[in-house]
Amino acid sequence: MSKLDELKKEAENALKKTSNLTEIDDIRRAYLGRKGKLTQELRSLKDMAEKDRKKYGNALNKIKEDIGSMLEEYSSKIREEQYRNRIINEWLDVTRPLPKKLRGSVHPITKTIAEIEDIFSAMGFETAEGPQIENEWYNFEALNIPEDHPARDLWDTFWMKQDKEVKGPVTKQNPGRMLLRTHTSPVQIRYMQKNNPPIRIIAPGQVFRYEATDASHEIQFRQLEGLMVDKDISIANFRAVMKEFLSRYFKKDISIRLRPSFFPFVEPGFEVDINCINCDAKGCSVCSQTGWLELMGAGMVHPRVFEAAGYNPDEYAGFAFGVGIDRLAMMKYKIDDVRLFNAGDIRFLEQFK
């Protein structure tokens, strides 16, 4: 048996012992690769006589073709076996219905804001927006919040790093430091500066407070600001608007009561309570057996706020209110922890599909 026949037999025996494509690739490199046995034989042709070179070269090419054919044959067998095993192991019932596609859902806060906007839009209110990064004048001074007000304390406000020190009293011309807005009330001022009465707007948006986080407090949450300005606006108008909004939102008749309270940007100011929606005002643990739930702060717009916006307080009157959108959502959907809205828990969000 010649050397070439021995190489062919050797390759055939090696292929008979293979069980996967990786081993076949190893055999291919061993015989046909750059440093393979047949390649080495090809390089030896240069040292042969011309007569022997032609004869040996033809025989060498024939063995190379034979080994290549064997490699392809064994590769096909292994692929076919792998495919057969895959069919057996991954059998698919083509008559079975397709699995249900995973679909996202609207976030409960987004859903709540959309619902609020629809209700107020039906009552003739426009939705207004403003920047989340505000200056001191819009966020405090224009809203009659003096420099010594607690809201300016580090524990209530996120102040932005200033490029240079802000000096002098805060005025419209010298608006002071920048901060993350603590409420959406600055939108009132910005809107009134650009629009004349009558005005009916709501301003939903993100606000920020530097405070401890717990089940009912977050450092960032959503607030709904409302404003109505005209020549003959009274508290009666506020009661009517609030009763209509809350009854539509909670889809049941809602009773409201006003309690005197203080807010710098309104005079008079009051807290707004609604009958407990959990027990229909009969008394339960949610309302501490009182039948009432505290909901929002509101009041008649303070004359100084009108002056800051360029309105004549002797000519116009109006009411303003502020309520947490997160709180409205918690009450409607009976959610007991405000942190769930920002936790990104799919199990929680899937409930609102």
Side-chain angles (χ1 to χ4, degrees):
M1 183 181 291
S2 67
K3 184 178 181 180
L4 294 181
D5 289 332
E6 289 178 358
L7 287 175
K8 178 179 177 181
K9 189 66 176 178
E10 183 181 306
E12 186 176 6
N13 291 334
L15 283 170
K16 288 179 180 179
K17 299 176 183 178
T18 58
S19 59
N20 56 65
L21 295 175
T22 301
E23 292 176 353
I24 289 181
D25 285 338
D26 291 339
I27 294 172
R28 187 189 305 277
R29 284 192 294 272
Y31 289 89
L32 305 180
R34 284 195 313 160
K35 297 181 180 180
K37 295 179 180 181
L38 289 181
T39 305
Q40 296 299 324
E41 291 298 318
L42 280 170
R43 290 173 181 169
S44 68
L45 290 175
K46 68 179 185 298
D47 299 324
M48 295 182 180
E50 185 177 349
K51 179 180 176 182
D52 296 332
R53 184 189 308 159
K54 184 175 181 181
K55 182 178 178 181
Y56 194 74
N58 289 335
L60 195 57
N61 285 332
K62 178 67 171 57
I63 295 297
K64 186 176 179 181
E65 289 177 4
D66 291 344
I67 292 178
S69 297
M70 287 191 294
L71 286 166
E72 188 60 37
E73 179 184 352
Y74 277 87
S75 295
S76 297
K77 286 181 180 179
I78 290 176
R79 289 193 188 96
E80 185 178 347
E81 185 65 24
Q82 289 178 341
Y83 181 68
R84 187 181 300 109
N85 291 336
R86 185 176 177 183
I87 291 176
I88 295 172
N89 296 328
E90 300 179 12
W91 177 80
L92 177 66
D93 182 0
V94 295
T95 65
R96 183 179 179 180
L98 290 173
K100 186 177 180 180
K101 290 185 178 180
L102 293 176
R103 300 182 62 185
S105 60
V106 177
H107 193 281
I109 294 297
T110 304
K111 186 176 181 180
T112 299
I113 292 174
E115 189 173 357
I116 289 170
E117 290 178 345
D118 286 344
I119 294 171
F120 274 105
S121 176
M123 293 192 287
F125 281 73
E126 181 182 348
T127 298
E129 296 181 345
Q132 293 183 9
I133 298 178
E134 267 294 4
N135 61 49
E136 207 169 346
W137 188 81
Y138 275 111
N139 199 81
F140 294 123
E141 253 75 10
L143 293 163
N144 195 36
I145 300 176
E147 190 173 357
D148 58 354
H149 192 278
R152 300 205 184 199
D153 188 80
L154 178 64
W155 295 102
D156 289 317
T157 305
F158 285 104
W159 295 97
M160 309 295 290
K161 185 177 180 180
Q162 311 298 317
D163 292 332
K164 59 182 179 178
E165 184 180 356
V166 178
K167 298 181 179 180
V170 175
T171 63
K172 186 177 180 180
Q173 290 71 34
N174 183 35
R177 296 170 292 172
M178 303 301 291
L179 61 137
L180 295 180
R181 66 183 181 186
T182 59
H183 46 188
T184 54
S185 301
V187 179
Q188 288 186 34
I189 305 298
R190 290 183 176 276
Y191 190 88
M192 285 191 287
Q193 286 178 331
K194 297 178 181 179
N195 298 273
N196 295 320
I199 286 175
R200 281 184 285 187
I201 63 167
I202 57 169
Q206 188 98 308
V207 299
F208 308 85
R209 303 275 177 87
Y210 186 32
E211 58 186 349
T213 298
D214 56 32
S216 57
H217 297 86
E218 268 277 32
I219 61 172
Q220 61 180 31
F221 56 96
R222 274 66 50 172
Q223 186 184 51
L224 175 70
E225 183 80 17
L227 175 69
M228 187 172 185
V229 179
D230 208 338
K231 291 187 176 182
D232 298 305
I233 300 297
S234 67
I235 296 176
N237 298 117
F238 170 75
R239 287 185 63 96
V241 169
M242 278 300 102
K243 183 173 177 61
E244 183 68 15
F245 161 64
L246 293 169
S247 295
R248 290 191 188 185
Y249 177 73
F250 289 111
K251 294 181 171 55
K252 61 168 67 177
D253 185 54
I254 297 294
S255 299
I256 66 174
R257 72 176 184 183
L258 309 181
R259 292 181 290 107
S261 188
F262 171 75
F263 302 101
F265 34 83
V266 292
E267 180 61 40
F270 36 81
E271 297 279 359
V272 180
D273 299 336
I274 65 172
N275 60 288
C276 181
I277 59 175
N278 188 62
C279 65
D280 290 327
K282 295 176 183 177
C284 65
S285 59
V286 175
C287 61
S288 300
Q289 307 302 325
T290 64
W292 294 95
L293 293 172
E294 181 182 323
L295 184 64
M296 69 176 75
M300 302 302 293
V301 180
H302 198 288
R304 290 182 182 174
V305 175
F306 277 144
E307 290 172 355
Y311 286 9
N312 183 353
D314 295 327
E315 185 178 359
Y316 296 107
F319 65 77
F321 64 88
V323 59
I325 295 174
D326 303 58
R327 180 166 173 76
L328 285 171
M330 290 173 72
M331 294 174 70
K332 184 168 185 175
Y333 299 115
K334 294 181 172 54
I335 298 169
D336 59 4
D337 194 327
V338 68
R339 292 169 293 189
L340 290 170
F341 290 127
N342 298 323
D345 191 330
I346 298 292
R347 296 168 300 176
F348 170 73
L349 299 175
E350 282 182 338
Q351 300 175 72
F352 302 93
K353 285 186 177 181

